[in-house]
Amino acid sequence: MSAEGVTDDIDDIVNSIENVDINQEKKKKKKNKQKKKKEEAEAETNGDNESETLNETTPNEAKPDGDATQVKKKKNKKKKDAGPTQQTDPPTLPISQLFPTGQYPVGQIMDHPIGQTDAKAKDRFGSEEARAIDRLQLDMYNDIRQAAEAHRQTRQHIQRWAKPGMKMIDICEELEKTARSLINENGLEAGLAFPTGCSRNHVAAHYTPNAGDTTVLEYDDVVKMDFGTHIKGRIIDCAWTMTFNDKFDPLLKGVQEATEMGIKTAGIDARLCDIGAAIQEVMESHEIELEGKVYQVKSIRNLNGHSISPYQIHSGKTVPIIKGGETTIMEENEFYAIETFGSTGKGHVHEDMECSHYMKNFDVGHVPLRLQKSKQLLNTINKNFGTLAFCRRWLDRLGETRYLMALKDLGEKGIVDPYPPLVDIKGCYTAQYEHTILLRPTCKEVISRGTDY
């Protein structure tokens, strides 16, 4: 082979290698171009989706790009999840979970009554000083509103749930179980303020079943359902009357209207005697016909409303439900239980039946005890109830046994006071309605008001 032929062959080989490299490079460029177009198309689609999401969640805000958009999306999702939780049926979720912001529903707001010559009260509604005092106490207001919401949801559950034929003890335990869940019971910080009263017919107050009581709710019963909740000792004391027979409606209407009159008349600088007179006038304007006989609805003259202080259900002032009471006035920042009792009987109650309600004396100091069982029981009372009322069922629930002698000993020493049932004459019917009100510097708040009453 000549040198020239060898050179030609080498040139051919070099050219073929260069052509292969060029073709591979073209293919690579084409692939990269297609990949780039695909990525641009995907990015455009994602951008549109993100823009739509952003428009839905924050229409008035600027639309950030890239990673910032994704962060914003996540934040908006969290905000959406933080809304109020729906209550279960029957109610079991604590009120604090239903209102994650920690702000609870405000009660009914009413103006303080203004006397004919009371210029001071007129200034109160628009006073900047009064509004400033109001703002300082928002945390306390919020605590008692939480207790009120727990009370509302508990009683509305019982109003739907309770039926004739049920045992009274079962109704009380269902109510207390529900209230403990909703208030998120926590020792003396939050819980029940006093035992569930379920006084029937001629029994007006302070009856709750002891262990072994087999009393059954009947169709013709008139039952006063009275229970309390508290947060940090701020007590909601609120009651209604439960009936199933419509013939008792005039009795209930008279008592409820009397309670509403008491609430309307109450306020800063209102005299307690004037409230009592207004309540009696409304109450005794009503009558009820039973078995062909007409009865006037009478105010039960030795029962009344009362002021409430932290961990003290009856704190000194009484709100009468008849005329002729004290001329003491109501004052700013006081809490009151405005409650009225009407009766078809004598309109006067006395103690009777087996005792179930007890409460440690609020003002008692140290009293030496000799019985070991009395010391042990007093420790249990101090730890679980403090100066709040309790009942024998609650001691049973805590595992206390054979405590009646010790309870009697504490009563004789003046440390714990018994509160037996209060009854009118047998065969009559009694009814009760009650609300807790707060006399704020700028207004009057009916904290326990609900859609039911």
Side-chain angles (χ1 to χ4, degrees):
M1 185 181 284
S2 67
E4 192 176 279
V6 171
T7 306
D8 289 338
D9 288 340
I10 290 167
D11 287 337
D12 289 338
I13 291 164
V14 168
N15 287 336
S16 65
I17 290 167
E18 282 175 359
N19 287 336
V20 167
D21 288 341
I22 288 164
N23 288 336
Q24 284 177 349
E25 200 171 331
K26 279 181 181 177
K27 282 181 184 177
K28 204 182 262 186
K29 280 181 181 178
K30 198 174 180 181
K31 273 185 184 177
N32 287 341
K33 204 172 182 182
Q34 286 174 349
K35 194 175 180 183
K36 196 173 180 183
K37 277 183 181 178
K38 196 175 179 182
E39 282 174 357
E40 282 174 1
E42 282 176 1
E44 202 171 304
T45 308
N46 289 339
D48 289 342
N49 290 340
E50 284 168 5
S51 175
E52 282 171 20
T53 307
L54 199 60
N55 283 334
E56 284 171 12
T57 52
T58 53
N60 299 323
E61 290 178 13
K63 300 175 187 176
D65 294 322
D67 294 337
T69 307
Q70 290 174 1
V71 170
K72 192 72 184 172
K73 278 170 70 183
K74 284 178 186 173
K75 279 185 181 175
N76 289 335
K77 196 172 181 182
K78 279 182 185 175
K79 278 183 186 175
K80 203 172 180 181
D81 292 342
T85 311
Q86 193 72 22
Q87 182 58 278
T88 58
D89 186 19
T92 54
L93 293 177
I95 298 302
S96 55
Q97 284 185 26
L98 301 180
F99 297 89
T101 59
Q103 297 301 310
Y104 301 99
V106 178
Q108 180 190 12
I109 300 298
M110 300 173 74
D111 288 342
H112 292 294
I114 300 173
Q116 290 179 348
T117 58
D118 191 1
K120 182 180 158 191
K122 290 177 185 174
D123 296 338
R124 185 178 291 120
F125 307 127
S127 163
E128 184 55 43
E129 182 186 356
R131 287 201 296 270
I133 295 169
D134 225 14
R135 285 194 295 270
L136 287 172
Q137 302 179 98
L138 288 176
D139 288 345
M140 182 265 284
Y141 296 167
N142 211 37
D143 286 340
I144 198 157
R145 286 169 187 159
Q146 182 182 354
E149 184 62 22
H151 196 288
R152 269 190 293 274
Q153 293 195 21
T154 300
R155 74 186 187 229
Q156 287 169 10
H157 164 58
I158 294 302
Q159 287 161 9
R160 296 188 299 268
W161 179 82
K163 298 286 183 291
M166 293 179 173
K167 286 183 181 178
M168 298 308 297
I169 195 167
D170 294 338
I171 294 171
C172 289
E173 286 179 350
E174 172 68 18
L175 186 151
E176 288 163 6
K177 180 188 78 175
T178 304
R180 284 188 175 105
S181 297
L182 300 193
I183 203 73
N184 203 10
E185 188 177 38
N186 178 25
L188 293 174
E189 282 290 299
L192 299 176
F194 53 87
T196 305
C198 56
S199 308
R200 297 163 59 246
N201 305 328
H202 71 290
V203 183
H206 296 173
Y207 164 78
T208 197
N210 289 323
D213 189 328
T214 57
T215 304
V216 171
L217 175 63
E218 295 178 9
Y219 178 74
D220 282 332
D221 280 345
V222 179
V223 185
K224 281 67 63 187
M225 298 298 298
D226 188 358
F227 75 101
T229 53
H230 81 94
I231 297 281
K232 296 175 185 172
R234 294 292 177 183
I235 298 169
I236 289 292
D237 185 0
C238 187
W240 81 101
T241 299
M242 182 167 66
T243 58
F244 301 95
N245 193 329
D246 294 344
K247 71 179 182 180
F248 297 112
D249 287 354
L251 171 63
L252 272 59
K253 184 183 177 188
V255 178
Q256 190 169 7
E257 285 186 6
T259 300
E260 293 303 326
M261 177 53 72
I263 292 168
K264 183 182 175 183
T265 316
I268 297 173
D269 296 335
R271 297 194 308 171
L272 298 176
C273 59
D274 294 339
I275 298 168
I279 287 171
Q280 185 176 20
E281 185 179 353
V282 171
M283 179 87 76
E284 298 188 352
S285 68
H286 288 265
E287 55 186 28
I288 179 173
E289 185 178 341
L290 297 170
E291 313 301 331
K293 189 175 178 182
V294 176
Y295 299 88
Q296 183 187 29
V297 179
K298 297 176 185 172
S299 287
I300 299 180
R301 56 186 178 274
N302 57 336
L303 289 176
N304 39 250
H306 47 90
S307 57
I308 305 173
S309 295
Y311 296 102
Q312 189 176 19
I313 187 68
H314 290 217
S315 64
K317 292 183 181 179
T318 59
V319 184
I321 59 175
I322 57 167
K323 62 184 178 182
E326 298 175 1
T327 56
T328 310
I329 63 167
M330 291 180 158
E331 297 174 69
E332 192 175 292
N333 290 323
E334 287 183 326
F335 288 86
Y336 282 91
I338 303 295
E339 60 181 319
T340 67
F341 293 84
S343 173
T344 62
K346 285 186 174 180
H348 186 276
V349 292
H350 60 276
E351 294 179 354
D352 194 16
M353 301 165 55
E354 184 180 48
C355 186
S356 56
H357 285 54
Y358 299 85
M359 186 166 65
K360 188 184 173 189
N361 188 323
F362 191 83
D363 300 312
V364 74
H366 174 72
V367 177
L369 295 170
R370 295 178 64 186
L371 292 176
Q372 187 59 37
K373 185 66 179 174
S374 298
K375 292 178 184 177
Q376 181 199 328
L377 183 62
L378 182 58
N379 285 337
T380 300
I381 292 167
N382 286 335
K383 182 181 174 184
N384 294 281
F385 313 120
T387 53
L388 297 171
F390 60 94
C391 64
R392 280 156 59 173
R393 277 187 298 106
W394 292 3
L395 292 175
D396 299 337
R397 183 173 174 267
L398 293 170
E400 288 292 328
T401 56
R402 299 181 180 180
Y403 52 76
L404 288 179
M405 188 64 75
L407 202 52
K408 187 181 177 188
D409 183 45
L410 294 176
E412 288 171 352
K413 299 282 196 305
I415 300 170
V416 172
D417 295 320
Y419 292 87
L422 300 170
V423 306
D424 202 334
I425 56 170
K426 280 190 179 178
C428 76
Y429 295 95
T430 59
Q432 172 196 16
Y433 276 92
E434 177 180 22
H435 274 298
T436 298
I437 66 169
L438 164 59
L439 305 184
R440 290 167 52 180
T442 56
C443 62
K444 169 173 56 184
E445 184 175 344
V446 189
I447 314 168
S448 53
R449 179 73 78 198
T451 54
D452 46 354
Y453 65 91

